């Protein structure tokens, strides 16, 4: 059932009543629909407020009381909790924009953000899509097409198939040519879906079948391609920013090597590698800009690379949207990427040149999930019964939850992104440890304590990072992650428990925080009453 919540008493129009809008704002938009949920919807709504632009939230039935709905000037219910009936339903999102009189749409990340058909539907409806052109999204959305564009632009790519493979014989021939181990990867999407590591020819048949099946379920596209597996690589991405007048720059790198099930969990800028090899940033930045120019790119985007032990880097893919981890770039450069997106979408020229970009200090972000780190990071949906947020100099928390909010099982269990900024990486790690100590979320299990353990790890502190880091760390602790079917079953069980009021606070080995006594914290709280 779709529905509509009218304007709030605190609408932007009322806030600016009788006040002239700055000239830079008059050239932008009157009202923007945010086609997303959670912390990224909150992040965009805040940026719209700063530019005195009205915001429209969309939500599903289970998100009716969500924070982004409460913050927006207007809100429209798209339908049931199933994303296909709400956040992924193009027709309903476009209809919501029409009904509310929005003149632009910000897609956030995930959901429809890299869907070329959605971007085209916005254009066809007379709406400005705050992102690149539909054609660019289409070209870079195909992993094989993106690799070809990058290769033609002189950007190094991982050796592998020029196109997709579907036959076992063809797959075996390509693998034999590039050499094992190889990766099978979905042509239509990322996030680890449809990805399989193949170490020998005997593993190929099952891996090809499983990868194709998973890609079909995740992206409705069974096509996969083969590339050489880079052993223990770093995953480093470059943030690019381009306007519609041909100006394009990069804002440096983000180190995204710490991943779990191919999903990034800790990101930082600058990469520790750049402290040793500062010339690598310039080389990778130039390569990223070449790939983006070749794709006709404008707005904010990210070019992702793998970097091997010999400092060779290889194009991986391009994300044609704002990244989850964009706050670390904002902290070290001082540029607000959502502000830049709005200006570019409104047709303005970039006011930043490459020589203007400077990187100051170090920023680290960790993604706080409602997951149980003691039990293979199984999802832990439920109601937040206690919430204490970290504060202080250089601490940033991008969250989409509040005390009493029930984290639904239907979506990604991201609670918040906690980022810090300091003069050096050493101080940033210390500041993040302190912020994690202050951060308390009860009623659900979270990854807060897990990150505290990672930050104490000597290998992490030394900057010895690679994409298999967390698996190796967990193996040292004797912990293993479950397969995807176990995760899905646990999510369902957790949701049923939450519905019965059986949510549990943190406990166990990972929850132990030896640096601060819980008795002492309790005593402080009593003393402040």
């Amino acid at each position: 059932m779709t529905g509509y919540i009218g304007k709030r008493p605190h609408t932007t129009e009322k806030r600016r009543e009788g006040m002239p809008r700055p000239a830079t704002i008059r050239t932008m938009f009157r009202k923007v629909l945010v086609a997303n949920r959670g912390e990224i919807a909150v992040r965009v709504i805040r940026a719209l407020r700063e530019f005195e632009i009205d915001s429209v939230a969309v939500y599903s039935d289970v998100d009716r009381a969500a924070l982004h709905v409460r913050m927006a000037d207007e809100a429209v219910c798209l339908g049931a909790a199933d994303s296909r009936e709400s956040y992924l339903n193009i027709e309903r999102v476009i209809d919501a924009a029409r009904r509310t009189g929005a003149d632009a749409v910000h897609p956030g990340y995930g959901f429809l953000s890299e869907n070329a058909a959605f971007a085209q539907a916005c254009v066809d409806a007379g709406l400005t899509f705050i992102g690149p052109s539909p054609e660019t999204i289409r070209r870079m959305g195909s992993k094989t097409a993106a690799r070809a564009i990058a290769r033609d632009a002189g950007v190094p790519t991982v050796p592998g198939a020029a196109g997709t493979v579907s036959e076992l014989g063809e797959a075996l021939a390509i693998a034999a040519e590039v050499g094992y181990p190889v990766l099978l990867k979905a042509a239509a999407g990322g996030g680890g879906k449809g990805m399989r590591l193949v170490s020998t020819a005997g593993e190929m048949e099952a891996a090809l079948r499983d990868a194709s099946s998973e890609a079909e379920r995740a992206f409705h596209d069974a096509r996969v391609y083969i590339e050489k597996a880079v052993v223990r690589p770093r995953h480093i991405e470059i943030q690019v920013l381009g306007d519609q007048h041909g100006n394009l720059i990069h804002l440096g790198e983000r180190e995204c090597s710490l991943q779990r099930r191919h999903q990034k969990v800790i990101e930082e800028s600058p990469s520790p590698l750049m402290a040793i090899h500062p010339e690598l940033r310039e080389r990778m930045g130039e390569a990223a800009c070449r790939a983006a120019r070749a794709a006709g790119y404008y707005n904010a985007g990210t070019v992702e690379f793998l970097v091997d032990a010999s400092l060779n880097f290889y194009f991986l893919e391009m994300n044609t949207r704002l990244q989850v981890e964009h706050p670390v770039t904002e902290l070290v450069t001082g540029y607000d990427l959502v502000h830049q997106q709005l200006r570019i979408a409104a047709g303005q020229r970039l006011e930043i040149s490459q020589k203007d970009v400077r990187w100051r200090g170090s920023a680290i972000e960790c993604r706080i999930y409602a997951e149980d780190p003691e039990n293979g990071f199984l999802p832990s949906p439920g109601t937040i019964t206690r919430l204490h947020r970290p504060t202080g100099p250089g601490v940033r928390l991008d969250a989409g939850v509040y005390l009493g909010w029930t984290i639904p099982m239907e979506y990604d269990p991201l609670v918040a992104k906690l980022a810090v900024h300091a003069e050096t990486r050493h101080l940033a790690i210390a500041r993040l440890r302190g912020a994690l100590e202050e951060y308390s979320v009860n009623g659900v299990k979270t990854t807060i304590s897990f990150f505290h353990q990672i930050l104490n790890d000597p290998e992490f502190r030394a900057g010895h990072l690679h994409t298999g880091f967390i698996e190796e760390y967990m193996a040292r602790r004797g912990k293993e992650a479950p397969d995807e079917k176990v995760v899905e079953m646990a999510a369902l069980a957790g949701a049923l428990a939450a519905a019965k009021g059986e949510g549990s606070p943190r406990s166990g080995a990972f929850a132990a925080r030896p640096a601060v006594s819980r008795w002492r914290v309790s005593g402080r709280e009593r003393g402040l009453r």
Side-chain angles (χ1 to χ4, degrees), residues 89 127 164 230 256 268 315 362 369 438 444 489:
N89 192 306
L127 301 164
T164 57
V230 182
C256 303
E268 59 182 296
F315 174 87
S362 176
Y369 285 97
E438 291 184 28
V444 297
M489 293 173 64

Side-chain angles (χ1 to χ4, degrees), residues 148-161:
I149 290 170
R151 190 166 50 247
D152 291 345
V155 179
T157 59
V158 179

Side-chain angles (χ1 to χ4, degrees), residues 237-370:
E237 62 188 27
I238 302 292
Q239 177 70 57
V240 297
L241 201 60
D243 63 24
Q244 299 178 55
H245 306 279
N247 302 302
L248 192 142
I249 63 172
H250 73 84
L251 298 181
E253 81 286 351
R254 293 185 288 260
E255 172 86 55
C256 303
S257 297
L258 267 66
Q259 302 176 8
R260 181 177 47 75
R261 294 196 291 267
H262 305 289
Q263 292 281 358
K264 305 163 190 171
V265 293
I266 298 180
E267 303 95 359
E268 59 182 296
S269 183
S271 164
L273 196 61
M274 302 304 174
I276 307 171
H277 305 282
E279 77 286 351
L280 189 58
R281 174 185 289 152
E282 183 177 353
R283 291 169 49 210
M284 294 182 69
E286 289 176 351
C289 288
R290 287 201 305 273
R293 286 189 187 281
Y297 201 88
Y298 58 80
N299 214 275
T302 300
V303 182
E304 304 199 1
F305 296 94
L306 295 179
V307 183
D308 66 19
S310 300
L311 302 185
N312 299 306
F313 60 87
Y314 306 97
F315 174 87
L316 184 62
E317 63 182 0
M318 184 171 193
N319 290 313
T320 56
R321 55 170 168 79
L322 190 67
Q323 290 283 80
V324 178
E325 58 273 17
H326 74 274
V328 294
T329 296
E330 295 183 328
L331 289 171
V332 296
T333 65
Y335 296 117
D336 187 307
L337 292 181
V338 179
H339 286 183
Q340 295 297 327
Q341 285 191 296
L342 292 167
R343 290 189 174 104
I344 291 167
Q348 297 182 12
R349 292 180 178 272
L350 271 180
E351 297 179 349
I352 315 163
S353 67
Q354 192 62 61
K355 64 180 176 58
D356 295 327
V357 181
R358 297 289 185 271
W359 297 272
R360 299 174 180 85
S362 176
I364 308 176
E365 173 188 284
C366 54
R367 305 185 190 185
I368 309 300
Y369 285 97

